[in-house]
Amino acid sequence: MDLPSDLKHLFLKWLEEDCIVQIQLGSKRALQLTRAIENLKRTDEAINNVNKLKSVRYIGPKITEFLNKKLLKYCNDNGYRTPDWCKTAETTTSSRKPTSHKVTKPSASTSVSGVPPGGRSKGKRKYVPAKNSSAYAILISLLVNDSAQTGVQKSTVIAVASKYCERSFTTNPATGQFYSAWNSIKTLINHELVVESTTKRPALYYLTDEGKLLATTLVQEMPEHQRPQIDGYDEDYDARQSTPTAYFASCGYQEWSNFTIKMIIDNREIRSQTERDFFQNKMSDANVPIEIRPLPVGDVLWVARSEAGEEVVLDTIVERKRLDDLVASIQDGRFLEQKSRLKETKLKNIIYITEEFTSTNLGQMAGAVQTSLSMIMTNFQFRLHRTKDADATCKFLSILHRSVCNRFQNKPIICINAMKLDDNSLLAFQDSLMKFRKEMDKDGSYIYINYSIFHSIFGKSSLVSLKETYIKMLMTTKGVSLEKAIQIQKHYPTPQSLIKAFRESKDPKLLSQHFKQEIITHKKVTAILSEKIFQTWGI
């Protein structure tokens, strides 16, 4: 029995099936398959030969080979006669190998494997990460956290990987560390040891079969006392990650049915120096119950208060910026820091309000502002809402308050009680909280953390080291960039050493002479700049 004269419907079916698989894996190949399917559908000509697919855009040798194998299997399974061109195509694709891999009889100077004695194989060398490297640590962490290969988040991977890596998983631009150990995930993905699934946000990472085999081998090569237990690694950690309910049992959680909702406005949120109570008065006029207090992150958020007076933070938070303040935050670096802290809250609805009053003259910062607003929606995935002035912002907040109240009407919430946290448990806590929500959110309720927990996590000002403070102090002098400040700090590690050097030499041009042969971002420390620094540190 011969095949149909037009095989387009079969090729489309197989491409669509493969495309679905690639989408579920989060593979970039899915985009190429989607485009290939669209172009094949537009083709009016009958496709009776796999070689004709080469004329269709986005269909290359790999897709042609894939469809040829599918067709061979289809013929064998359904009793069709295999066409000669199908066999030829199979032979052609399988013969696309480097000419250096010819089969020859082993000679006296050649081993059975085809490699000369003492020589090196020309085949691709298998990638194996060095011990205690960042790639090594990520593989171990994925094996510990995700032996079932279902996928875990970045924060979960880092929580364990940091134990097996000599490098840090966090960047620190102030000290010249612009890349972290996490960048090695790209190497593992390129070597097909790890797969990144981008169908959901945040992205999930899991080992391929080859990656799991390599990670298992790496674990077996560890000393026995250092070897993690894959099925029950670190009992405390396992209690936090695998059974989030057990982790929170120590602090307790309770279900609330009766509660009131109140808007909380940061006490630094004012319209102007002469109208400090503007937002409070406007919200009161709109019959919105509010409270003014210092917030650790964001400008406005909502809390639910129980009859006993306990509070939990609900899932909506607002950051408000006038355009002039937005420009200032971009220039001094607060913009990215504030956005990152908002993202870390793990709240569902993060809303960014910009007030675009007409008197604002952006000048040369117009492009930077547009880029930053785009980042808010794409990189950070916040909801962006633009208003013309503070009055319009108040109207929007009153509407948002009613929306929050309606969403929680006749709906129970589960509150996680207060507990003591430290910085080391923050990542584990956040990941466990997400898992706890998935586990407990069965009946339409939602899990929220106590306000005291929220404040303890995001209210702690990060401890800034003397080195970072010193660099920032140097940068207060006009003309001292971050790179120059770092270079000066390397030669004079402490403020005292710089002051001592200036006082001993009594030369305002000391730094220009010291860095005479050194180039910092293509610019030297000039004599004029050295004199400026001397006015602060040498007198």
Side-chain angles (χ1 to χ4, degrees):
M1 186 167 56
D2 293 332
L3 287 168
S5 58
D6 190 359
L7 302 174
K8 188 192 298 182
H9 66 288
L10 289 175
F11 293 147
L12 283 171
K13 176 186 174 184
W14 294 330
L15 286 174
E16 287 170 351
E17 289 174 353
D18 189 38
C19 185
I20 292 171
V21 172
Q22 298 302 322
I23 290 173
Q24 291 173 344
L25 292 174
S27 172
K28 295 179 180 179
R29 189 166 179 264
L31 179 60
Q32 182 187 0
L33 290 171
T34 302
R35 292 173 174 172
I37 292 168
E38 291 174 354
N39 283 278
L40 184 57
K41 286 180 179 179
R42 295 194 194 104
T43 305
D44 298 327
E45 183 183 0
I47 306 294
N48 56 7
N49 191 320
V50 73
N51 294 319
K52 287 188 175 182
L53 291 171
K54 296 178 182 178
S55 62
V56 180
R57 196 178 179 189
Y58 293 108
I59 294 184
K62 287 188 177 180
I63 295 180
T64 305
E65 182 180 359
F66 165 75
L67 293 174
N68 186 68
K69 290 180 180 179
K70 280 284 189 180
L71 187 61
L72 281 172
K73 186 176 184 302
Y74 179 77
C75 292
N76 295 331
D77 293 346
N78 295 279
Y80 287 102
R81 185 178 64 84
T82 305
D84 293 335
W85 56 261
C86 188
K87 297 176 182 177
T88 305
E90 181 188 25
T91 306
T92 304
T93 53
S94 61
S95 63
R96 286 197 192 109
K97 304 290 182 182
T99 55
S100 60
H101 291 279
K102 293 180 180 178
V103 179
T104 57
K105 294 181 181 180
S107 61
S109 61
T110 308
S111 66
V112 178
S113 62
V115 181
R120 294 175 60 187
S121 172
K122 295 184 180 180
K124 187 176 180 180
R125 188 175 179 181
K126 187 176 179 181
Y127 172 75
V128 178
K131 187 176 181 181
N132 296 332
S133 66
S134 47
Y136 173 92
I138 291 172
L139 286 175
I140 300 297
S141 177
L142 284 171
L143 184 65
V144 170
N145 288 314
D146 190 35
S147 57
Q149 296 171 276
T150 56
V152 290
Q153 296 179 14
K154 175 182 174 181
S155 58
T156 308
V157 177
I158 291 175
V160 172
S162 56
K163 301 179 182 179
Y164 300 97
C165 182
E166 297 173 346
R167 292 179 57 200
S168 172
F169 280 89
T170 56
T171 58
N172 189 0
T175 58
Q177 298 173 347
F178 297 98
Y179 298 96
S180 70
W182 181 252
N183 285 73
S184 295
I185 193 71
K186 297 176 183 177
T187 304
L188 296 174
I189 293 173
N190 291 337
H191 285 282
E192 298 181 352
L193 299 173
V194 174
V195 175
E196 177 186 16
S197 175
T198 57
T199 54
K200 295 181 179 180
R201 289 294 177 185
L204 298 177
Y205 300 88
Y206 56 92
L207 294 169
T208 61
D209 291 336
E210 185 179 354
K212 186 174 182 179
L213 181 63
L214 176 58
T216 304
T217 304
L218 295 176
V219 169
Q220 291 173 350
E221 291 176 353
M222 288 182 175
E224 193 168 344
H225 66 280
Q226 295 180 358
R227 195 178 300 168
Q229 298 178 3
I230 306 305
D231 293 331
Y233 173 71
D234 188 355
E235 295 180 359
D236 294 336
Y237 185 84
D238 185 66
R240 295 194 300 266
Q241 301 293 338
S242 303
T243 56
T245 311
Y247 176 49
F248 290 109
S250 60
C251 59
Y253 53 90
Q254 53 187 316
E255 183 175 320
W256 292 359
S257 298
N258 299 319
F259 53 87
T260 57
I261 296 177
K262 181 173 288 190
M263 179 193 294
I264 308 296
I265 300 179
D266 186 56
N267 62 350
R268 292 157 292 190
E269 198 64 13
I270 60 175
R271 186 182 188 182
S272 64
Q273 293 295 333
T274 57
E275 296 178 284
R276 305 189 70 87
D277 298 330
F278 175 82
F279 289 99
Q280 184 176 359
N281 295 334
K282 281 287 184 180
M283 291 296 101
S284 299
D285 293 342
N287 296 321
V288 175
I290 68 164
E291 187 173 322
I292 307 296
R293 67 173 77 160
L295 293 178
V297 61
D299 296 319
V300 182
L301 56 78
W302 281 260
V303 298
R305 181 175 293 171
S306 69
E307 296 175 344
E310 294 182 87
E311 292 180 339
V312 294
V313 178
L314 299 181
D315 59 0
T316 304
I317 190 168
V318 173
E319 176 79 9
R320 168 187 167 263
K321 276 280 189 288
R322 294 193 327 183
L323 277 188
D324 56 344
D325 187 24
L326 177 61
V327 169
S329 68
I330 294 171
Q331 291 174 330
D332 62 21
R334 287 182 293 120
F335 175 78
L336 290 176
E337 187 268 337
Q338 290 173 346
K339 303 299 107 25
S340 299
R341 293 186 67 213
L342 281 170
K343 190 75 174 177
E344 288 175 357
T345 62
K346 304 294 184 184
L347 297 180
K348 277 188 174 181
N349 304 311
I350 303 177
I351 303 169
Y352 200 91
I353 298 177
T354 57
E355 292 179 6
E356 305 174 3
F357 50 94
T358 55
S359 61
T360 304
N361 183 14
L362 299 180
Q364 296 179 348
M365 291 297 294
V369 169
Q370 190 60 44
T371 301
S372 300
L373 294 178
S374 300
M375 288 177 61
I376 289 169
M377 295 183 288
T378 55
N379 294 19
F380 294 99
Q381 297 183 333
F382 298 167
R383 289 174 55 191
L384 178 64
H385 185 81
R386 299 182 178 186
T387 62
K388 63 178 182 178
D389 52 29
D391 291 284
T393 299
C394 290
K395 290 180 182 178
F396 174 73
L397 290 176
S398 63
I399 295 171
L400 189 58
H401 174 78
R402 289 195 292 271
S403 175
V404 172
C405 293
N406 291 337
R407 192 163 71 251
F408 290 95
Q409 190 173 6
N410 300 323
K411 185 178 180 181
I413 62 176
I414 295 177
C415 168
I416 300 173
N417 294 339
M419 58 188 293
K420 186 177 181 181
L421 295 172
D422 54 56
D423 293 334
N424 295 329
S425 66
L426 175 56
L427 289 174
F429 171 81
Q430 289 178 333
D431 189 65
S432 293
L433 178 62
M434 301 301 289
K435 290 184 178 181
F436 185 80
R437 285 174 173 170
K438 290 180 182 179
E439 180 181 333
M440 298 293 292
D441 195 6
K442 308 288 186 184
D443 55 354
S445 60
Y446 197 71
I447 289 82
Y448 299 94
I449 59 175
N450 189 286
Y451 182 83
S452 61
I453 298 180
F454 183 84
H455 200 282
S456 65
I457 293 175
F458 300 103
K460 293 179 180 178
S461 58
S462 56
L463 297 176
V464 181
S465 65
L466 174 61
K467 182 178 179 180
E468 292 173 346
T469 305
Y470 178 28
I471 290 172
K472 289 180 179 179
M473 290 170 67
L474 288 169
M475 291 174 63
T476 58
T477 302
K478 188 175 181 180
V480 179
S481 63
L482 174 62
E483 293 85 355
K484 291 179 181 179
I486 292 173
Q487 197 70 16
I488 293 171
Q489 189 274 332
K490 284 182 180 178
H491 288 275
Y492 302 99
T494 64
Q496 185 179 3
S497 61
L498 179 60
I499 294 170
K500 185 178 179 181
F502 270 129
R503 288 182 176 176
E504 288 179 353
S505 66
K506 297 180 181 180
D507 183 5
K509 299 179 181 179
L510 172 68
L511 294 182
S512 64
Q513 296 172 0
H514 191 90
F515 294 103
K516 192 173 183 179
Q517 302 300 326
E518 297 193 30
I519 297 178
I520 306 170
T521 63
H522 310 290
K523 291 183 181 180
K524 296 180 180 179
V525 177
T526 62
I528 296 175
L529 181 57
S530 180
E531 289 174 356
K532 286 182 180 179
I533 299 172
F534 178 80
Q535 290 174 4
T536 304
W537 299 86
I539 298 176

